[in-house]
Amino acid sequence: MSPTASAPPAPPVAKTIAGIRSIVKDARAHGARVALAPTMGALHDGHLALVRRARELADLVIVSIFVNPLQFGPNEDFDRYPRTWDADLEALAALTADNTDGGAFSDHAEGAPPRRLVVFAPGVDEMYPDGPTQTRISGGDVAALFEGESRPGHFDGMLTVVAKLLNSVQPDAAMFGQKDAQQAFLVRRMVTDLNLPVAIEAVPTVREADGLALSSRNRYLSDDARREAVTLSAALQEVAAAAPRGTAEALAAGRARVEASSAVKLDYLAIVDPQTFRSVDERYRGPALALIAARVDGTRLIDNATVVLRSAG
Ligand code: AMP
C-alpha cells in the first residue's frame, strides 16, 4: 500500500549500530528510559503487543527488525521468510499516529523526556560484517530440547543475535513474546547467567478469534490448513482441561485432539516445569507449561499454554 496524504508519518529508521547508539545516547541525555522489542519483521498484532508494552515501560521504544540468518537451519525458510517492510513501517506509524513528527507518541507530557518510537533495521552486513560470528552464545542443555531438537543450532543463533542487539541498544528493558516460551526462558537465563543489565518482559500471546496464536508463518497457510491450524491451541485447551487429573491424562487428551486432525503432524507435545523447562512427571503439582509443535500442511507452528497439574491420586 502506498502512503496517502492522511497516513501517519513513518517512524525514523536507524540502519547502523552507530546510528542507533547515538539516538539512544541522545535520548538518555534527556532522561529517557529505553525499551527494545526485537522482531524479524512481518509484523502482526502479537509484535504490536510487545511495542505497546514497551511504550508503557519506556520513553524511547526501539523496534528492531532483523531476519537473523544465524538462527535458521540450512533447510529452513530464511530466504522464504516473509519480508513486509512497507507494511511494517505503516503498522508502527499507526501506533504513533496523530503526530506530524514521525515516531513521536502523542502522550508526551510537558517537561518529560521525548517519547518516541525508532526502528532499528540493520542489514546482515552490519550485524555480521565478517560473516557468521565465530563467538556464539550457547543456551546449554535446554537449548537442545523441544524446538532445539527439531532446529539444531536455532537457539544459539537466536541468543547470539539477542546479545548483539542488547549490546547495540543497551535498553533498560527488552520485550519477548510468551508465544515463544522456550526462547523467553533461554533469554532470561542468558541475562541472569551473563549479568546483562536489562529487564526481560514476557508479553502474553496474542491470538486469532478461534485461538490460533498469531505468527508471521501463518501467512504460509492455505485456507484449508488455516482451518486445521486451530488444532494446536485446541489441543492445549484439552491438556489444560485434563490437567487436574495429572500429567499422563493431560498429555493423552492433547494427543487425542491432534490425532483427530489428519492434516496436523505432531512434532512434540510436552508439559514442562516453568522454572527448569524440563518435562514434569506424574508427581508434579501446580502451574506448568504445556508446549506443542506441529506441521500443518508443511508449515511448522508452535504454541504453549499454562496448565495447572494435580496428581490423580
Ligand atoms: P519474531 O518476529 O517471530 O521473531 O517474533 C518477535 C517477537 O514477537 C518474539 O519475542 C515473539 O515471541 C513475539 N511474538 C510473536 N508472535 C506473538 C504472539 N502471537 N503474541 C505475542 N508475542 C508474539
Side-chain angles (χ1 to χ4, degrees), residues 37-50 64 66 71 81 175-181 183-184 203-207 212-217:
T39 81
M40 298 202 299
L43 301 182
H44 51 61
D45 281 348
H47 298 113
L48 299 185
L50 265 54
S64 64
F66 179 62
Q71 70 191 65
Y81 195 83
M175 314 295 117
F176 289 85
Q178 186 56 30
K179 152 87 176 12
D180 298 282
Q183 166 171 287
V203 175
T205 302
V206 178
R207 298 176 181 282
L212 175 67
L214 298 194
S215 163
S216 303
R217 290 189 170 93

PDB file of all heavy atoms in Angstrom, residues 37-50 64 66 71 81 175-181 183-184 203-207 212-217, ligand 1:
ATOM      1  N   ALA A  37      12.122  -3.914  21.494  1.00  0.00           N
ATOM      2  CA  ALA A  37      11.267  -5.036  21.086  1.00  0.00           C
ATOM      3  C   ALA A  37      11.908  -5.671  19.857  1.00  0.00           C
ATOM      4  O   ALA A  37      11.769  -5.140  18.744  1.00  0.00           O
ATOM      5  CB  ALA A  37       9.850  -4.555  20.778  1.00  0.00           C
ATOM      6  N   PRO A  38      12.625  -6.779  20.047  1.00  0.00           N
ATOM      7  CA  PRO A  38      13.283  -7.403  18.887  1.00  0.00           C
ATOM      8  C   PRO A  38      12.285  -8.213  18.052  1.00  0.00           C
ATOM      9  O   PRO A  38      11.511  -9.001  18.603  1.00  0.00           O
ATOM     10  CB  PRO A  38      14.324  -8.351  19.506  1.00  0.00           C
ATOM     11  CG  PRO A  38      14.325  -8.075  20.974  1.00  0.00           C
ATOM     12  CD  PRO A  38      12.989  -7.466  21.290  1.00  0.00           C
ATOM     13  N   THR A  39      12.305  -8.029  16.736  1.00  0.00           N
ATOM     14  CA  THR A  39      11.435  -8.796  15.844  1.00  0.00           C
ATOM     15  C   THR A  39      12.198  -9.150  14.568  1.00  0.00           C
ATOM     16  O   THR A  39      13.246  -8.584  14.287  1.00  0.00           O
ATOM     17  CB  THR A  39      10.176  -7.995  15.402  1.00  0.00           C
ATOM     18  OG1 THR A  39      10.538  -7.107  14.325  1.00  0.00           O
ATOM     19  CG2 THR A  39       9.581  -7.186  16.542  1.00  0.00           C
ATOM     20  N   MET A  40      11.573 -10.057  13.807  1.00  0.00           N
ATOM     21  CA  MET A  40      12.107 -10.352  12.470  1.00  0.00           C
ATOM     22  C   MET A  40      11.185  -9.750  11.411  1.00  0.00           C
ATOM     23  O   MET A  40      11.173 -10.201  10.260  1.00  0.00           O
ATOM     24  CB  MET A  40      12.247 -11.862  12.288  1.00  0.00           C
ATOM     25  CG  MET A  40      13.239 -12.458  13.290  1.00  0.00           C
ATOM     26  SD  MET A  40      13.930 -14.021  12.764  1.00  0.00           S
ATOM     27  CE  MET A  40      12.467 -15.017  12.647  1.00  0.00           C
ATOM     28  N   GLY A  41      10.399  -8.749  11.790  1.00  0.00           N
ATOM     29  CA  GLY A  41       9.508  -8.101  10.831  1.00  0.00           C
ATOM     30  C   GLY A  41       8.294  -8.946  10.539  1.00  0.00           C
ATOM     31  O   GLY A  41       7.939  -9.831  11.329  1.00  0.00           O
ATOM     32  N   ALA A  42       7.635  -8.677   9.382  1.00  0.00           N
ATOM     33  CA  ALA A  42       6.344  -9.297   9.062  1.00  0.00           C
ATOM     34  C   ALA A  42       5.413  -9.110  10.266  1.00  0.00           C
ATOM     35  O   ALA A  42       4.811 -10.060  10.772  1.00  0.00           O
ATOM     36  CB  ALA A  42       6.507 -10.771   8.692  1.00  0.00           C
ATOM     37  N   LEU A  43       5.327  -7.873  10.687  1.00  0.00           N
ATOM     38  CA  LEU A  43       4.689  -7.550  11.965  1.00  0.00           C
ATOM     39  C   LEU A  43       3.190  -7.841  11.957  1.00  0.00           C
ATOM     40  O   LEU A  43       2.492  -7.582  10.983  1.00  0.00           O
ATOM     41  CB  LEU A  43       4.920  -6.075  12.309  1.00  0.00           C
ATOM     42  CG  LEU A  43       6.383  -5.636  12.421  1.00  0.00           C
ATOM     43  CD1 LEU A  43       6.461  -4.163  12.826  1.00  0.00           C
ATOM     44  CD2 LEU A  43       7.159  -6.507  13.395  1.00  0.00           C
ATOM     45  N   HIS A  44       2.723  -8.373  13.084  1.00  0.00           N
ATOM     46  CA  HIS A  44       1.292  -8.601  13.302  1.00  0.00           C
ATOM     47  C   HIS A  44       0.958  -8.090  14.697  1.00  0.00           C
ATOM     48  O   HIS A  44       1.830  -7.525  15.381  1.00  0.00           O
ATOM     49  CB  HIS A  44       0.949 -10.081  13.114  1.00  0.00           C
ATOM     50  CG  HIS A  44       1.836 -11.014  13.897  1.00  0.00           C
ATOM     51  ND1 HIS A  44       1.922 -10.987  15.279  1.00  0.00           N
ATOM     52  CD2 HIS A  44       2.702 -11.976  13.494  1.00  0.00           C
ATOM     53  CE1 HIS A  44       2.771 -11.906  15.684  1.00  0.00           C
ATOM     54  NE2 HIS A  44       3.272 -12.520  14.623  1.00  0.00           N
ATOM     55  N   ASP A  45      -0.281  -8.318  15.125  1.00  0.00           N
ATOM     56  CA  ASP A  45      -0.702  -7.756  16.414  1.00  0.00           C
ATOM     57  C   ASP A  45       0.067  -8.318  17.607  1.00  0.00           C
ATOM     58  O   ASP A  45       0.109  -7.691  18.661  1.00  0.00           O
ATOM     59  CB  ASP A  45      -2.209  -7.977  16.626  1.00  0.00           C
ATOM     60  CG  ASP A  45      -3.028  -6.957  15.843  1.00  0.00           C
ATOM     61  OD1 ASP A  45      -2.437  -5.974  15.353  1.00  0.00           O
ATOM     62  OD2 ASP A  45      -4.246  -7.160  15.705  1.00  0.00           O
ATOM     63  N   GLY A  46       0.660  -9.508  17.453  1.00  0.00           N
ATOM     64  CA  GLY A  46       1.496 -10.049  18.529  1.00  0.00           C
ATOM     65  C   GLY A  46       2.721  -9.174  18.742  1.00  0.00           C
ATOM     66  O   GLY A  46       3.077  -8.818  19.864  1.00  0.00           O
ATOM     67  N   HIS A  47       3.363  -8.811  17.625  1.00  0.00           N
ATOM     68  CA  HIS A  47       4.519  -7.908  17.722  1.00  0.00           C
ATOM     69  C   HIS A  47       4.079  -6.555  18.290  1.00  0.00           C
ATOM     70  O   HIS A  47       4.789  -5.953  19.100  1.00  0.00           O
ATOM     71  CB  HIS A  47       5.139  -7.670  16.345  1.00  0.00           C
ATOM     72  CG  HIS A  47       5.671  -8.896  15.678  1.00  0.00           C
ATOM     73  ND1 HIS A  47       5.116  -9.424  14.547  1.00  0.00           N
ATOM     74  CD2 HIS A  47       6.721  -9.695  15.987  1.00  0.00           C
ATOM     75  CE1 HIS A  47       5.794 -10.503  14.168  1.00  0.00           C
ATOM     76  NE2 HIS A  47       6.776 -10.686  15.031  1.00  0.00           N
ATOM     77  N   LEU A  48       2.919  -6.093  17.843  1.00  0.00           N
ATOM     78  CA  LEU A  48       2.480  -4.756  18.285  1.00  0.00           C
ATOM     79  C   LEU A  48       2.170  -4.760  19.789  1.00  0.00           C
ATOM     80  O   LEU A  48       2.316  -3.737  20.455  1.00  0.00           O
ATOM     81  CB  LEU A  48       1.273  -4.289  17.459  1.00  0.00           C
ATOM     82  CG  LEU A  48       1.569  -4.157  15.948  1.00  0.00           C
ATOM     83  CD1 LEU A  48       0.367  -3.575  15.213  1.00  0.00           C
ATOM     84  CD2 LEU A  48       2.814  -3.323  15.664  1.00  0.00           C
ATOM     85  N   ALA A  49       1.784  -5.924  20.320  1.00  0.00           N
ATOM     86  CA  ALA A  49       1.584  -6.024  21.777  1.00  0.00           C
ATOM     87  C   ALA A  49       2.911  -5.792  22.506  1.00  0.00           C
ATOM     88  O   ALA A  49       2.954  -5.174  23.575  1.00  0.00           O
ATOM     89  CB  ALA A  49       0.993  -7.388  22.140  1.00  0.00           C
ATOM     90  N   LEU A  50       3.989  -6.291  21.912  1.00  0.00           N
ATOM     91  CA  LEU A  50       5.320  -6.055  22.501  1.00  0.00           C
ATOM     92  C   LEU A  50       5.629  -4.553  22.493  1.00  0.00           C
ATOM     93  O   LEU A  50       6.152  -3.998  23.467  1.00  0.00           O
ATOM     94  CB  LEU A  50       6.394  -6.769  21.685  1.00  0.00           C
ATOM     95  CG  LEU A  50       6.858  -8.167  22.100  1.00  0.00           C
ATOM     96  CD1 LEU A  50       5.720  -9.140  22.237  1.00  0.00           C
ATOM     97  CD2 LEU A  50       7.907  -8.709  21.150  1.00  0.00           C
ATOM     98  N   SER A  64      13.420  -3.499  16.762  1.00  0.00           N
ATOM     99  CA  SER A  64      14.409  -3.972  15.794  1.00  0.00           C
ATOM    100  C   SER A  64      13.737  -4.921  14.820  1.00  0.00           C
ATOM    101  O   SER A  64      12.848  -5.700  15.189  1.00  0.00           O
ATOM    102  CB  SER A  64      15.614  -4.618  16.481  1.00  0.00           C
ATOM    103  OG  SER A  64      15.225  -5.761  17.182  1.00  0.00           O
ATOM    104  N   PHE A  66      15.078  -7.528  12.087  1.00  0.00           N
ATOM    105  CA  PHE A  66      16.274  -8.175  11.537  1.00  0.00           C
ATOM    106  C   PHE A  66      15.995  -9.667  11.405  1.00  0.00           C
ATOM    107  O   PHE A  66      15.731 -10.338  12.409  1.00  0.00           O
ATOM    108  CB  PHE A  66      17.480  -7.939  12.454  1.00  0.00           C
ATOM    109  CG  PHE A  66      18.745  -8.591  11.951  1.00  0.00           C
ATOM    110  CD1 PHE A  66      19.293  -8.218  10.731  1.00  0.00           C
ATOM    111  CD2 PHE A  66      19.379  -9.586  12.688  1.00  0.00           C
ATOM    112  CE1 PHE A  66      20.456  -8.827  10.244  1.00  0.00           C
ATOM    113  CE2 PHE A  66      20.536 -10.206  12.219  1.00  0.00           C
ATOM    114  CZ  PHE A  66      21.078  -9.815  10.997  1.00  0.00           C
ATOM    115  N   GLN A  71      19.984 -18.024  13.042  1.00  0.00           N
ATOM    116  CA  GLN A  71      19.055 -18.887  13.767  1.00  0.00           C
ATOM    117  C   GLN A  71      18.209 -19.764  12.848  1.00  0.00           C
ATOM    118  O   GLN A  71      17.302 -20.448  13.304  1.00  0.00           O
ATOM    119  CB  GLN A  71      18.163 -18.071  14.696  1.00  0.00           C
ATOM    120  CG  GLN A  71      17.129 -17.199  14.020  1.00  0.00           C
ATOM    121  CD  GLN A  71      16.486 -16.250  15.017  1.00  0.00           C
ATOM    122  OE1 GLN A  71      17.124 -15.374  15.583  1.00  0.00           O
ATOM    123  NE2 GLN A  71      15.195 -16.449  15.257  1.00  0.00           N
ATOM    124  N   TYR A  81      11.414 -16.455   4.263  1.00  0.00           N
ATOM    125  CA  TYR A  81      10.780 -15.820   5.415  1.00  0.00           C
ATOM    126  C   TYR A  81      10.143 -14.501   4.974  1.00  0.00           C
ATOM    127  O   TYR A  81      10.766 -13.718   4.245  1.00  0.00           O
ATOM    128  CB  TYR A  81      11.805 -15.571   6.532  1.00  0.00           C
ATOM    129  CG  TYR A  81      11.136 -15.256   7.853  1.00  0.00           C
ATOM    130  CD1 TYR A  81      10.675 -16.277   8.674  1.00  0.00           C
ATOM    131  CD2 TYR A  81      10.917 -13.943   8.245  1.00  0.00           C
ATOM    132  CE1 TYR A  81      10.023 -15.989   9.867  1.00  0.00           C
ATOM    133  CE2 TYR A  81      10.270 -13.646   9.435  1.00  0.00           C
ATOM    134  CZ  TYR A  81       9.828 -14.683  10.236  1.00  0.00           C
ATOM    135  OH  TYR A  81       9.163 -14.386  11.403  1.00  0.00           O
ATOM    136  N   MET A 175      11.496  -6.747  25.352  1.00  0.00           N
ATOM    137  CA  MET A 175      10.204  -7.441  25.312  1.00  0.00           C
ATOM    138  C   MET A 175      10.319  -8.744  24.526  1.00  0.00           C
ATOM    139  O   MET A 175      10.862  -8.744  23.406  1.00  0.00           O
ATOM    140  CB  MET A 175       9.144  -6.590  24.578  1.00  0.00           C
ATOM    141  CG  MET A 175       9.069  -5.141  24.958  1.00  0.00           C
ATOM    142  SD  MET A 175       8.544  -4.953  26.646  1.00  0.00           S
ATOM    143  CE  MET A 175      10.000  -4.173  27.302  1.00  0.00           C
ATOM    144  N   PHE A 176       9.771  -9.823  25.070  1.00  0.00           N
ATOM    145  CA  PHE A 176       9.729 -11.094  24.355  1.00  0.00           C
ATOM    146  C   PHE A 176       8.338 -11.682  24.503  1.00  0.00           C
ATOM    147  O   PHE A 176       7.714 -11.536  25.559  1.00  0.00           O
ATOM    148  CB  PHE A 176      10.792 -12.060  24.890  1.00  0.00           C
ATOM    149  CG  PHE A 176      12.178 -11.626  24.494  1.00  0.00           C
ATOM    150  CD1 PHE A 176      12.874 -10.705  25.256  1.00  0.00           C
ATOM    151  CD2 PHE A 176      12.757 -12.088  23.317  1.00  0.00           C
ATOM    152  CE1 PHE A 176      14.132 -10.260  24.867  1.00  0.00           C
ATOM    153  CE2 PHE A 176      14.012 -11.652  22.919  1.00  0.00           C
ATOM    154  CZ  PHE A 176      14.700 -10.737  23.694  1.00  0.00           C
ATOM    155  N   GLY A 177       7.853 -12.340  23.437  1.00  0.00           N
ATOM    156  CA  GLY A 177       6.510 -12.908  23.487  1.00  0.00           C
ATOM    157  C   GLY A 177       6.505 -14.250  24.194  1.00  0.00           C
ATOM    158  O   GLY A 177       7.400 -15.079  23.977  1.00  0.00           O
ATOM    159  N   GLN A 178       5.480 -14.471  25.000  1.00  0.00           N
ATOM    160  CA  GLN A 178       5.286 -15.769  25.653  1.00  0.00           C
ATOM    161  C   GLN A 178       4.999 -16.851  24.601  1.00  0.00           C
ATOM    162  O   GLN A 178       5.197 -18.029  24.851  1.00  0.00           O
ATOM    163  CB  GLN A 178       4.144 -15.646  26.668  1.00  0.00           C
ATOM    164  CG  GLN A 178       3.914 -16.872  27.528  1.00  0.00           C
ATOM    165  CD  GLN A 178       5.143 -17.321  28.309  1.00  0.00           C
ATOM    166  OE1 GLN A 178       5.987 -16.495  28.677  1.00  0.00           O
ATOM    167  NE2 GLN A 178       5.260 -18.617  28.545  1.00  0.00           N
ATOM    168  N   LYS A 179       4.572 -16.427  23.418  1.00  0.00           N
ATOM    169  CA  LYS A 179       4.336 -17.356  22.311  1.00  0.00           C
ATOM    170  C   LYS A 179       5.554 -18.257  22.073  1.00  0.00           C
ATOM    171  O   LYS A 179       5.424 -19.436  21.770  1.00  0.00           O
ATOM    172  CB  LYS A 179       4.009 -16.529  21.065  1.00  0.00           C
ATOM    173  CG  LYS A 179       4.354 -17.130  19.739  1.00  0.00           C
ATOM    174  CD  LYS A 179       3.242 -17.979  19.244  1.00  0.00           C
ATOM    175  CE  LYS A 179       3.418 -18.575  17.881  1.00  0.00           C
ATOM    176  NZ  LYS A 179       4.704 -18.518  17.250  1.00  0.00           N
ATOM    177  N   ASP A 180       6.751 -17.668  22.191  1.00  0.00           N
ATOM    178  CA  ASP A 180       7.987 -18.432  22.036  1.00  0.00           C
ATOM    179  C   ASP A 180       8.566 -18.660  23.429  1.00  0.00           C
ATOM    180  O   ASP A 180       9.552 -18.033  23.823  1.00  0.00           O
ATOM    181  CB  ASP A 180       8.949 -17.676  21.119  1.00  0.00           C
ATOM    182  CG  ASP A 180       8.371 -17.509  19.726  1.00  0.00           C
ATOM    183  OD1 ASP A 180       8.414 -18.481  18.960  1.00  0.00           O
ATOM    184  OD2 ASP A 180       7.831 -16.430  19.421  1.00  0.00           O
ATOM    185  N   ALA A 181       7.909 -19.552  24.185  1.00  0.00           N
ATOM    186  CA  ALA A 181       8.192 -19.691  25.616  1.00  0.00           C
ATOM    187  C   ALA A 181       9.621 -20.151  25.869  1.00  0.00           C
ATOM    188  O   ALA A 181      10.286 -19.676  26.801  1.00  0.00           O
ATOM    189  CB  ALA A 181       7.204 -20.674  26.243  1.00  0.00           C
ATOM    190  N   GLN A 183      12.208 -19.670  23.946  1.00  0.00           N
ATOM    191  CA  GLN A 183      13.068 -18.520  23.652  1.00  0.00           C
ATOM    192  C   GLN A 183      13.101 -17.561  24.843  1.00  0.00           C
ATOM    193  O   GLN A 183      14.172 -17.130  25.280  1.00  0.00           O
ATOM    194  CB  GLN A 183      12.530 -17.804  22.413  1.00  0.00           C
ATOM    195  CG  GLN A 183      13.106 -16.435  22.174  1.00  0.00           C
ATOM    196  CD  GLN A 183      12.683 -15.875  20.821  1.00  0.00           C
ATOM    197  OE1 GLN A 183      13.152 -16.320  19.789  1.00  0.00           O
ATOM    198  NE2 GLN A 183      11.796 -14.902  20.816  1.00  0.00           N
ATOM    199  N   ALA A 184      11.924 -17.226  25.380  1.00  0.00           N
ATOM    200  CA  ALA A 184      11.864 -16.282  26.506  1.00  0.00           C
ATOM    201  C   ALA A 184      12.614 -16.851  27.712  1.00  0.00           C
ATOM    202  O   ALA A 184      13.344 -16.134  28.408  1.00  0.00           O
ATOM    203  CB  ALA A 184      10.409 -15.975  26.865  1.00  0.00           C
ATOM    204  N   VAL A 203       5.516 -11.000  27.210  1.00  0.00           N
ATOM    205  CA  VAL A 203       4.211 -10.435  26.837  1.00  0.00           C
ATOM    206  C   VAL A 203       3.279 -11.590  26.450  1.00  0.00           C
ATOM    207  O   VAL A 203       3.682 -12.474  25.683  1.00  0.00           O
ATOM    208  CB  VAL A 203       4.393  -9.452  25.659  1.00  0.00           C
ATOM    209  CG1 VAL A 203       3.056  -8.928  25.162  1.00  0.00           C
ATOM    210  CG2 VAL A 203       5.310  -8.305  26.075  1.00  0.00           C
ATOM    211  N   PRO A 204       2.040 -11.601  26.997  1.00  0.00           N
ATOM    212  CA  PRO A 204       1.122 -12.718  26.702  1.00  0.00           C
ATOM    213  C   PRO A 204       0.860 -12.899  25.210  1.00  0.00           C
ATOM    214  O   PRO A 204       0.900 -11.943  24.437  1.00  0.00           O
ATOM    215  CB  PRO A 204      -0.176 -12.302  27.414  1.00  0.00           C
ATOM    216  CG  PRO A 204       0.237 -11.311  28.459  1.00  0.00           C
ATOM    217  CD  PRO A 204       1.459 -10.621  27.924  1.00  0.00           C
ATOM    218  N   THR A 205       0.586 -14.141  24.837  1.00  0.00           N
ATOM    219  CA  THR A 205       0.367 -14.486  23.428  1.00  0.00           C
ATOM    220  C   THR A 205      -0.920 -13.859  22.901  1.00  0.00           C
ATOM    221  O   THR A 205      -1.971 -13.966  23.524  1.00  0.00           O
ATOM    222  CB  THR A 205       0.286 -16.024  23.291  1.00  0.00           C
ATOM    223  OG1 THR A 205       1.502 -16.571  23.790  1.00  0.00           O
ATOM    224  CG2 THR A 205       0.088 -16.448  21.837  1.00  0.00           C
ATOM    225  N   VAL A 206      -0.810 -13.230  21.743  1.00  0.00           N
ATOM    226  CA  VAL A 206      -1.982 -12.663  21.073  1.00  0.00           C
ATOM    227  C   VAL A 206      -2.508 -13.703  20.086  1.00  0.00           C
ATOM    228  O   VAL A 206      -1.720 -14.321  19.352  1.00  0.00           O
ATOM    229  CB  VAL A 206      -1.620 -11.356  20.339  1.00  0.00           C
ATOM    230  CG1 VAL A 206      -2.824 -10.784  19.598  1.00  0.00           C
ATOM    231  CG2 VAL A 206      -1.049 -10.338  21.326  1.00  0.00           C
ATOM    232  N   ARG A 207      -3.825 -13.913  20.093  1.00  0.00           N
ATOM    233  CA  ARG A 207      -4.435 -14.987  19.310  1.00  0.00           C
ATOM    234  C   ARG A 207      -5.503 -14.481  18.351  1.00  0.00           C
ATOM    235  O   ARG A 207      -6.095 -13.426  18.593  1.00  0.00           O
ATOM    236  CB  ARG A 207      -5.090 -16.008  20.261  1.00  0.00           C
ATOM    237  CG  ARG A 207      -4.091 -16.669  21.171  1.00  0.00           C
ATOM    238  CD  ARG A 207      -4.725 -17.616  22.189  1.00  0.00           C
ATOM    239  NE  ARG A 207      -3.655 -18.170  23.004  1.00  0.00           N
ATOM    240  CZ  ARG A 207      -2.851 -19.154  22.608  1.00  0.00           C
ATOM    241  NH1 ARG A 207      -3.055 -19.732  21.442  1.00  0.00           N
ATOM    242  NH2 ARG A 207      -1.863 -19.574  23.377  1.00  0.00           N
ATOM    243  N   LEU A 212      -5.978 -19.573  17.379  1.00  0.00           N
ATOM    244  CA  LEU A 212      -4.659 -19.715  16.732  1.00  0.00           C
ATOM    245  C   LEU A 212      -3.740 -18.562  17.149  1.00  0.00           C
ATOM    246  O   LEU A 212      -4.104 -17.388  17.028  1.00  0.00           O
ATOM    247  CB  LEU A 212      -4.824 -19.715  15.198  1.00  0.00           C
ATOM    248  CG  LEU A 212      -3.509 -19.731  14.400  1.00  0.00           C
ATOM    249  CD1 LEU A 212      -2.758 -21.049  14.589  1.00  0.00           C
ATOM    250  CD2 LEU A 212      -3.776 -19.484  12.918  1.00  0.00           C
ATOM    251  N   ALA A 213      -2.555 -18.904  17.650  1.00  0.00           N
ATOM    252  CA  ALA A 213      -1.588 -17.867  18.026  1.00  0.00           C
ATOM    253  C   ALA A 213      -1.110 -17.149  16.767  1.00  0.00           C
ATOM    254  O   ALA A 213      -0.783 -17.793  15.762  1.00  0.00           O
ATOM    255  CB  ALA A 213      -0.407 -18.515  18.743  1.00  0.00           C
ATOM    256  N   LEU A 214      -1.070 -15.825  16.821  1.00  0.00           N
ATOM    257  CA  LEU A 214      -0.564 -15.075  15.668  1.00  0.00           C
ATOM    258  C   LEU A 214       0.897 -15.436  15.443  1.00  0.00           C
ATOM    259  O   LEU A 214       1.662 -15.576  16.385  1.00  0.00           O
ATOM    260  CB  LEU A 214      -0.677 -13.564  15.905  1.00  0.00           C
ATOM    261  CG  LEU A 214      -2.061 -12.974  16.106  1.00  0.00           C
ATOM    262  CD1 LEU A 214      -2.000 -11.457  15.967  1.00  0.00           C
ATOM    263  CD2 LEU A 214      -3.069 -13.529  15.135  1.00  0.00           C
ATOM    264  N   SER A 215       1.268 -15.588  14.187  1.00  0.00           N
ATOM    265  CA  SER A 215       2.647 -15.901  13.822  1.00  0.00           C
ATOM    266  C   SER A 215       2.891 -15.398  12.412  1.00  0.00           C
ATOM    267  O   SER A 215       1.994 -15.452  11.555  1.00  0.00           O
ATOM    268  CB  SER A 215       2.865 -17.418  13.865  1.00  0.00           C
ATOM    269  OG  SER A 215       4.044 -17.758  13.157  1.00  0.00           O
ATOM    270  N   SER A 216       4.106 -14.931  12.173  1.00  0.00           N
ATOM    271  CA  SER A 216       4.453 -14.490  10.816  1.00  0.00           C
ATOM    272  C   SER A 216       4.305 -15.648   9.832  1.00  0.00           C
ATOM    273  O   SER A 216       4.088 -15.435   8.642  1.00  0.00           O
ATOM    274  CB  SER A 216       5.892 -13.970  10.782  1.00  0.00           C
ATOM    275  OG  SER A 216       6.039 -12.920  11.720  1.00  0.00           O
ATOM    276  N   ARG A 217       4.436 -16.881  10.327  1.00  0.00           N
ATOM    277  CA  ARG A 217       4.361 -18.041   9.427  1.00  0.00           C
ATOM    278  C   ARG A 217       2.924 -18.424   9.093  1.00  0.00           C
ATOM    279  O   ARG A 217       2.710 -19.250   8.206  1.00  0.00           O
ATOM    280  CB  ARG A 217       5.104 -19.230  10.041  1.00  0.00           C
ATOM    281  CG  ARG A 217       6.631 -19.014  10.064  1.00  0.00           C
ATOM    282  CD  ARG A 217       7.392 -20.269  10.455  1.00  0.00           C
ATOM    283  NE  ARG A 217       8.817 -20.131  10.255  1.00  0.00           N
ATOM    284  CZ  ARG A 217       9.689 -19.729  11.193  1.00  0.00           C
ATOM    285  NH1 ARG A 217       9.255 -19.436  12.410  1.00  0.00           N
ATOM    286  NH2 ARG A 217      10.979 -19.626  10.912  1.00  0.00           N
TER     287      ARG A 217
HETATM  288  P1  AMP B   1       9.523 -12.992  15.556  1.00  0.00           P
HETATM  289  O1  AMP B   1       9.408 -11.806  14.654  1.00  0.00           O
HETATM  290  O2  AMP B   1       8.678 -14.144  15.143  1.00  0.00           O
HETATM  291  O3  AMP B   1      10.952 -13.364  15.860  1.00  0.00           O
HETATM  292  O4  AMP B   1       8.907 -12.536  16.947  1.00  0.00           O
HETATM  293  C1  AMP B   1       9.398 -11.401  17.606  1.00  0.00           C
HETATM  294  C2  AMP B   1       8.827 -11.363  18.984  1.00  0.00           C
HETATM  295  O5  AMP B   1       7.411 -11.297  18.922  1.00  0.00           O
HETATM  296  C3  AMP B   1       9.179 -12.613  19.811  1.00  0.00           C
HETATM  297  O6  AMP B   1       9.503 -12.227  21.137  1.00  0.00           O
HETATM  298  C4  AMP B   1       7.906 -13.391  19.756  1.00  0.00           C
HETATM  299  O7  AMP B   1       7.728 -14.248  20.858  1.00  0.00           O
HETATM  300  C5  AMP B   1       6.863 -12.291  19.753  1.00  0.00           C
HETATM  301  N1  AMP B   1       5.597 -12.800  19.224  1.00  0.00           N
HETATM  302  C6  AMP B   1       5.409 -13.464  18.061  1.00  0.00           C
HETATM  303  N2  AMP B   1       4.126 -13.834  17.939  1.00  0.00           N
HETATM  304  C7  AMP B   1       3.481 -13.412  19.047  1.00  0.00           C
HETATM  305  C8  AMP B   1       2.140 -13.508  19.525  1.00  0.00           C
HETATM  306  N3  AMP B   1       1.182 -14.127  18.823  1.00  0.00           N
HETATM  307  N4  AMP B   1       1.836 -12.948  20.716  1.00  0.00           N
HETATM  308  C9  AMP B   1       2.808 -12.325  21.445  1.00  0.00           C
HETATM  309  N5  AMP B   1       4.095 -12.196  21.055  1.00  0.00           N
HETATM  310  C10 AMP B   1       4.428 -12.735  19.873  1.00  0.00           C
END
